[in-house]
């Protein structure tokens, strides 16, 4: 076997070896075999990443750069991403096993984040407000936070880097990207484009390694002002708790158990396609997965029959093939977790009408594949309906009427997304008000945009990414008071 290439980290504008001297293997989920070695950073590497970002934040080259100039750099980065979309997508597929067709689409779309926030960079306006005191002029200004840490998951690394990197830089911060230990390669390729775009050294840094060794050191570092985390809810709670010790600003985009609700007045064929997209696209490895399909009783059997028929046509295999529709699970631990939930569902007494096991098709080779799985006779109180599986596993739950659909839909600790399928204008307008979810799609599912705020209710997170709200997550407001009085009044009395 050929010797595996070793990745370096990008700190302070330099490509450096981990101070530990250690590396670990990154595996290709389709082959199940290692394909590169990733630097195993430690606390000292985290510290030098923070030092580099802090130095860059206070460097006049970045600190005094006009917002318009920052916007120009972001747009240049967007152009470079567009030019390299194909190459980036191929690295992403090799590293995380998602379909090339989807990764290429994401990489062709990712530049929009840099164009949008690049345009927004010089439109962050403070305000002059009337004050209730004479001879006083007061105004606000919005300023960057400082050193920000972006902790990225393994399911869509580069798209989720864009969610954080673009607004953070537009606001004038410096940033440290800590990619998942399972999918570090694409972030390291991405940062080469940041370098080529001409950002000052240290403004963007990438440090690789394990969460307990690098992530923990970044989260607790006293010079880090903000942590932006995407990942599981348990990890999110830990990040929140540790960051709170030093009162860092935190944004969390966490898990989901989203209800995709089909009413009997819908276009059933479209709803079935939406249900398939909601759970089997990306092998179910999305936080917004519509993993609970709520179906009105009067059309339950018809919907299930059509679901099975369409899901059976899903082609599995090499994610680089244009014909493949369902790829492997990204990590071996996640593969084992999904299989464990299949056993949990079996023990809970559900009816498995499709799949229910690992995939052994010849086209799946040695990869970590799970058959698209559909369960019926599911009660919403079951673990399979309450806990995030993060795999191609769909629970079908019947309901009688709107009231019961909303009750079931909201009866989880999560609140990231929801879908509604109906021809009723009244229902399309009124029901989103009642669903406890940060995003509600009507007669569609699984769409995102750089313009649309995204985030969760309840244990699905804190804060919002994308849209104009996102840049506020990376800024703080300062109020400035100016006295025009010719003399200072009584100094012992508050003015």
């Amino acid at each position: 076997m050929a010797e595996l290439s070793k990745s370096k980290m990008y700190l302070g504008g330099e490509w450096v070896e981990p101070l530990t001297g250690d590396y670990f293997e990154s595996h290709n989920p389709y082959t199940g075999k290692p394909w590169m070695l990733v630097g195993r950073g430690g606390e000292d590497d985290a510290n030098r990443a923070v030092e580099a970002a802090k130095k860059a934040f206070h460097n006049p080259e970045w600190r005094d750069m006009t917002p318009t100039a920052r916007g120009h750099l972001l747009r240049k980065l967007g152009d470079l991403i567009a030019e390299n979309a194909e190459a980036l997508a191929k690295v992403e597929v090799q590293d995380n096993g998602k379909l090339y067709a989807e990764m290429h689409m994401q990489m062709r779309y990712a530049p929009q984040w840099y164009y949008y926030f690049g345009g927004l960079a010089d439109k962050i306006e403070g305000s002059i407000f009337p004050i209730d005191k004479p001879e006083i002029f007061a105004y606000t200004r919005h300023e960057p936070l400082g050193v920000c840490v972006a902790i990225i998951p393994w399911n869509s690394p580069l798209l989720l880097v864009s969610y954080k990197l673009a607004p953070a830089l537009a606001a004038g911060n410096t940033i440290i990207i800590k990619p998942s230990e399972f999918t570090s390669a694409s972030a390291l390729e991405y940062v080469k484009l940041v370098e080529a775009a001409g950002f000052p050294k240290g403004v963007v840094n990438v440090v690789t390694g394990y969460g307990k060794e690098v992530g923990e050191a970044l989260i607790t570092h006293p010079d880090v002002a903000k942590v932006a985390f995407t990942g599981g809810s348990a990890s999110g709670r830990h990040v929140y708790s540790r960051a709170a010790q030093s009162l860092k600003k935190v944004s969390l985009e966490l898990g989901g158990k989203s209800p995709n609700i089909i009413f009997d007045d819908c276009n059933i064929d479209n709803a079935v396609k939406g249900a398939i997209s909601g759970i089997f696209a990306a092998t179910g490895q999305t936080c917004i997965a519509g993993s609970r399909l709520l179906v009105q009783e009067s059309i339950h059997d018809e919907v299930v029959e059509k679901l099975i028929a369409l899901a059976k046509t899903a082609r599995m295999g090499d994610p680089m093939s244009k014909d493949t529709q369902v790829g492997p699970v990204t990590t071996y631990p996640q593969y084992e977790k999904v299989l464990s939930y299949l056993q949990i569902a079996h023990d809970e007494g559900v009816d498995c009408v499709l799949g229910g096991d690992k995939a052994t098709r010849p086209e799946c080779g040695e990869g970590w594949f799970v058959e698209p799985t559909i369960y019926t006779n599911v009660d919403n109180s079951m673990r399979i309906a309450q806990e995030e599986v993060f795999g191609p596993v769909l629970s079908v739950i019947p309901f009688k009427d709107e009231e019961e659909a909303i009750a079931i839909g909201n009866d989880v600790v999560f609140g990231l997304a929801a879908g509604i399928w109906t021809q009723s204008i009244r229902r399309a307008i009124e029901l989103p008000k009642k669903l406890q979810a940060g995003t509600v799609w009507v007669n569609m599912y699984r769409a995102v945009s750089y313009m649309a705020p995204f985030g969760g209710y309840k244990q699905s997170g804190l804060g919002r990414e994308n849209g104009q709200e996102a840049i506020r997550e990376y800024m703080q407001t300062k109020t400035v008071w100016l006295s025009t009085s010719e003399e200072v009044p009584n100094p012992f009395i508050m003015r």
Side-chain angles (χ1 to χ4, degrees):
M1 185 172 105
E3 185 177 350
L4 301 178
S5 62
K6 290 183 177 180
S7 70
K8 293 183 178 181
M9 298 183 290
Y10 186 70
L11 305 178
E14 305 292 336
W15 291 94
V16 298
E17 303 278 354
L19 292 174
T20 62
D22 295 333
Y23 290 82
F24 57 89
E25 294 177 339
S26 185
H27 290 75
N28 181 326
Y30 174 57
T31 65
K33 294 180 173 58
W35 73 286
M36 72 174 298
L37 296 174
V38 176
R40 183 173 179 172
E43 183 177 354
D44 290 341
D45 294 297
N47 290 340
R48 61 174 176 164
V50 175
E51 184 60 34
K54 180 182 177 182
K55 181 179 179 181
F57 181 72
H58 293 290
N59 187 333
E61 186 181 5
W62 180 248
R63 183 194 64 203
D64 297 340
M65 185 180 291
T66 66
T68 301
R70 289 202 305 269
H72 175 74
L73 283 177
L74 282 164
R75 289 189 291 274
K76 186 175 180 180
L77 176 56
D79 289 341
L80 290 170
I81 293 168
E83 291 170 13
N84 291 274
E86 183 176 351
L88 290 169
K90 287 179 179 178
V91 173
E92 197 86 301
V93 173
Q94 194 165 9
D95 213 25
N96 84 342
K98 290 183 78 171
L99 304 186
Y100 174 76
E102 179 165 8
M103 290 299 97
H104 192 217
M105 180 277 292
Q106 286 187 9
M107 288 303 95
R108 285 188 288 110
Y109 193 37
Q112 297 300 328
W113 269 259
Y114 300 93
Y115 301 150
Y116 179 82
F117 285 102
L120 193 57
D122 58 5
K123 298 168 186 66
I124 307 304
E125 300 174 349
S127 63
I128 299 171
F129 53 92
I131 197 73
D132 62 341
K133 303 177 188 300
E135 299 181 295
I136 294 290
F137 174 68
Y139 65 93
T140 59
R141 51 182 284 117
H142 302 292
E143 299 180 346
L145 297 169
V147 177
C148 298
V149 169
I151 301 179
I152 310 300
W154 44 256
N155 58 325
S156 290
L158 292 189
L159 185 64
L160 296 176
V161 164
S162 301
Y163 279 20
K164 297 167 177 57
L165 184 62
L169 296 181
N173 300 283
T174 57
I175 193 165
I176 301 163
I177 299 168
K178 194 288 179 187
S180 167
E181 59 268 27
F182 295 105
T183 53
S184 299
S186 57
L188 294 166
E189 287 298 313
Y190 213 52
V191 79
K192 292 177 182 177
L193 304 183
V194 173
E195 187 176 41
F199 283 85
K201 292 183 176 182
V203 170
V204 181
N205 308 271
V206 179
V207 58
T208 57
Y210 291 98
K212 290 183 179 179
E213 298 170 356
V214 173
E216 191 81 7
L218 293 172
I219 294 164
T220 57
H221 198 291
D223 290 330
V224 169
K226 175 187 168 72
V227 178
F229 174 84
T230 299
S233 293
S235 297
R237 286 191 293 271
H238 178 76
V239 169
Y240 194 27
S241 173
R242 297 293 284 145
Q245 301 303 308
S246 50
L247 297 179
K248 290 177 171 47
K249 192 164 186 176
V250 175
S251 57
L252 304 170
E253 195 269 280
L254 307 177
K257 197 68 181 178
S258 301
N260 204 354
I261 308 172
I262 300 179
F263 288 94
D264 60 8
D265 67 337
C266 74
N267 179 315
I268 291 179
D269 289 337
N270 285 342
V272 167
K273 291 176 185 176
I276 294 291
S277 172
I279 190 61
F280 298 136
T283 318
Q285 298 174 118
T286 63
C287 50
I288 55 176
S291 53
R292 292 185 300 148
L293 187 68
L294 280 54
V295 184
Q296 199 153 20
E297 289 177 346
S298 57
I299 58 170
H300 176 275
D301 292 349
E302 181 182 358
V303 167
V304 169
E305 182 181 344
K306 290 189 173 186
L307 269 173
I308 295 170
L310 183 54
K312 279 183 175 179
T313 68
R315 295 183 294 274
M316 305 180 76
D318 186 351
M320 281 300 298
S321 170
K322 65 179 181 180
D323 297 324
T324 300
Q325 296 170 315
V326 179
V329 176
T330 297
T331 78
Y332 190 75
Q334 182 62 26
Y335 173 65
E336 291 186 312
K337 177 185 174 182
V338 175
L339 294 180
S340 74
Y341 270 102
L342 300 184
Q343 184 61 49
I344 288 169
H346 173 77
D347 294 343
E348 288 183 311
V350 301
D351 293 334
C352 182
V353 296
L354 185 71
D357 205 348
K358 59 186 176 183
T360 56
R361 310 180 192 190
E363 58 268 32
C364 295
E366 300 298 317
W368 306 322
F369 287 84
V370 175
E371 287 287 348
T373 297
I374 300 174
Y375 292 126
T376 60
N377 191 29
V378 177
D379 185 275
N380 196 59
S381 64
M382 294 176 174
R383 289 182 64 187
I384 198 66
Q386 288 288 315
E387 300 173 14
E388 187 175 42
V389 177
F390 220 66
V393 182
L394 179 65
S395 295
V396 182
I397 304 171
F399 68 88
K400 295 178 182 178
D401 52 28
E402 285 185 15
E403 184 178 358
E404 186 177 27
I406 295 299
I408 294 172
N410 289 336
D411 186 22
V412 286
V413 298
F414 302 106
L416 192 59
I420 298 170
W421 298 85
T422 182
Q423 301 275 13
S424 166
I425 293 295
R426 179 200 62 79
R427 192 176 273 156
I429 293 172
E430 293 299 320
L431 264 59
K433 300 176 187 177
K434 300 177 182 179
L435 286 166
Q436 297 167 357
T439 295
V440 179
W441 294 288
V442 180
N443 294 329
M444 62 184 298
Y445 203 88
R446 199 172 172 256
V448 297
S449 170
Y450 54 93
M451 302 176 73
F454 178 74
Y457 283 30
K458 301 189 284 189
Q459 292 190 31
S460 285
L462 298 169
R464 291 295 179 267
E465 298 187 301
N466 304 336
Q468 293 187 35
E469 290 187 35
I471 202 166
R472 298 294 190 199
E473 299 281 345
Y474 292 90
M475 306 195 84
Q476 52 198 341
T477 301
K478 177 181 288 181
T479 299
V480 180
W481 297 66
L482 297 176
S483 173
T484 60
S485 175
E486 293 186 354
E487 62 179 86
V488 176
N490 188 340
F492 296 99
I493 298 176
M494 181 181 289
R495 291 192 68 179

